[in-house]
Amino acid sequence: MAKLFTPLRIRDLEIRNRVFMAPMCQYSAIEGVPNSWHQVHLASRAVGGVGLVIVEATGVSPEGRISDHCLGLYNQQQEEAFKPIVEIVKRNGAKIAVQLAHSGRKGVGSFDVVAPSSIPFDSSYKMPKTLSKKEIEEVVESYFKAAKRALNAGFDVVEIHMAHGYLLHQFLSPYSNKRTDDFGSSLINRMRLPLMVAKVIRDFWPQNLPVFVRLSATDWIGKEGWDLEEVVLFVKELKNIGVDFIDVSSGGNVADVKIPIGPNYQVFFAEEIRKKAEILTGAVGLITESIQAEKILVEGKADAILLGRVLLRDPYWAINAAQQLGNEKIFPKQYERAY
Ligand SMILES: Cc1cc2nc3c(=O)[nH]c(=O)nc-3n(C[C@H](O)[C@H](O)[C@H](O)COP(=O)(O)O)c2cc1C
C-alpha cells in the first residue's frame, strides 16, 4: 500500500490517509459567517478522498480577519453556521480542522489593524497600532474563545496560524517585532505570545484530539528575519506544550522578498523540523503529482502532504492518486460505475 494512503493516527484521531487539504481563503463570507459556498467547496474535497480538510484562515476577532469577506469564529451565528459544514465533511470520511488566525498588520478590511510594532507591511498597507500588554492578553483570550466555539462546532483539529506574516508570525520575527518589553527583542520574548496562544488552546482542547501549528520556516532574509535555527527552538517549545503537528510553510512577512519557488521548495524545512525537533510535520508548496507526494513520505521528509492549488483544480486528486499509486479504490460507492 502506498504510504500516502496509510492512515495517520495523532492522539486518538485516525485520519484515513496523508493527503491534507491546505487552508485556502475563499473571500466568500459575509460578516465572517460560512455559507453554502464553503459547504460545497469543503465537502467536495472530502468526497474527493482527502484525509483532512483544513478550513481557511478564520479570524478570532473581527479585526483578526484578513479581509471583510474572510471567515470568523467569534460569535454564535458563525459557530452555528459551521456545524452543518463540519458534519457533512465528517460524513464523507474526512476529518476537519479550522485554521484559527489573526491577521495583525496584514488585515485589509474595513477595520483598524494592530501589530507588535507600528510598522506597516509595506506602503500600500495600513499603519498598525502597537498592541498594549492588555490588548495582547485580549488576543490570547480571543483565541481561547474561538477554540471553544470550534469544539462546539464539532471540529476535530485546531490549526493555529503562525505563518505568512500574520500576527503571531509578526511577533516571532525580529523583522516585524521591534518591541523592547517582555514581548520583543530576545527569542524568549518574541515567542511569548505565540506560546501563550498555543498553551491556552492545548490546555483546553480535548486530550484525545490534536493541535496543529502552521509556521513559516523562514522569512527568506537570513538572520535579519525569522529563520530555521530559531524555528527549531520554537518548535521544541511547542512540542513541550503538547502541539502535535507542524504544517511547514514559509515567507509572507517581508514584502517583495525573493523566494526560490519550484516543486518541493519548502520540503527541506519540513524535513529539518521533523528531524531536529522530533515532531510530526506536513510538507506543502508545489506538490502536485502522486509520485512526488509519495516519495516525500517514503524518504521520511514529512508525515503528511498538504495540497493547495492542485486541489482547487481537481477535487478528486486523492482518488486519482490512489489509483495511480496502487489501484486502491477510495472513491465513494456512489461513483463506482465510473471506475
Ligand atoms: C487561494 C489561496 C488561499 C490561501 N489561503 C491561505 C490561508 O487561508 N491560510 C494559509 O495558511 N495559507 C493559505 N494559502 C496558502 C496555501 O495553504 C498553500 O500553502 C500554498 O498555496 C502552497 O501550496 P500549493 O503550491 O499546493 O498551492 C492560500 C493559497 C491560495 C492559492
Side-chain angles (χ1 to χ4, degrees), residues 76-291:
Q76 194 62 28
Q77 195 190 353
Q78 295 155 352
E79 180 183 315
E80 293 303 325
F82 267 115
K83 285 181 182 168
I85 298 176
V86 168
E87 157 75 18
I88 196 171
V89 167
K90 287 183 174 177
R91 230 185 314 124
N92 286 286
K95 303 297 183 202
I96 182 164
V98 61
Q99 187 186 47
L100 293 183
H102 192 306
S103 58
R105 68 177 186 168
K106 283 183 86 177
V108 294
S110 57
F111 40 80
D112 293 335
V113 301
V114 296
S117 307
S118 292
I119 311 166
F121 177 64
D122 73 18
S123 57
S124 69
Y125 279 71
K126 284 185 195 166
M127 175 62 78
K129 181 180 161 298
T130 300
L131 284 168
S132 68
K133 281 196 177 181
K134 183 169 164 288
E135 288 164 337
I136 288 176
E137 298 285 347
E138 286 165 9
V139 167
V140 178
E141 182 69 13
S142 56
Y143 270 96
F144 173 62
K145 287 184 174 156
K148 278 180 125 171
R149 292 192 184 281
L151 189 65
N152 291 342
F155 283 101
D156 301 297
V157 180
V158 167
E159 172 168 286
I160 310 168
H161 198 352
M162 300 194 186
H164 302 167
Y166 295 110
L167 185 69
L168 298 178
H169 183 182
Q170 289 159 32
F171 269 85
L172 290 167
S173 173
Y175 182 82
S176 42
N177 182 347
K178 302 293 181 193
R179 298 177 77 97
T180 51
D181 64 0
D182 295 353
F183 292 93
S185 355
S186 65
L187 175 61
I188 288 197
N189 285 349
R190 282 181 279 119
M191 292 191 302
R192 195 175 307 278
L193 170 61
L195 291 177
M196 283 162 73
V197 169
K199 182 153 172 46
V200 82
I201 291 183
R202 183 62 275 179
D203 286 352
F204 162 72
W205 200 246
Q207 277 306 304
N208 59 334
L209 294 176
V211 171
F212 289 16
V213 166
R214 179 167 255 204
L215 283 181
S216 282
T218 177
D219 284 342
W220 296 104
I221 52 166
K223 294 274 173 225
E224 216 194 314
W226 178 236
D227 211 11
L228 189 59
E229 207 175 303
E230 288 193 337
V231 169
V232 169
L233 296 172
F234 177 55
V235 172
K236 287 181 177 167
E237 296 295 325
L238 291 173
K239 189 183 167 191
N240 284 341
I241 286 173
V243 167
D244 301 284
F245 182 99
I246 309 294
D247 167 3
V248 186
S249 189
S250 77
N253 197 36
V254 181
D256 297 327
V257 73
K258 287 241 172 334
I259 301 179
I261 291 174
N264 288 8
Y265 75 106
Q266 296 173 145
V267 171
F268 167 75
F269 301 117
E271 182 182 9
E272 285 289 296
I273 291 170
R274 186 173 189 266
K275 290 197 176 129
K276 295 197 169 139
E278 297 178 340
I279 193 164
L280 298 173
T281 64
V284 65
L286 282 178
I287 302 167
T288 54
E289 305 296 331
S290 55
I291 292 171

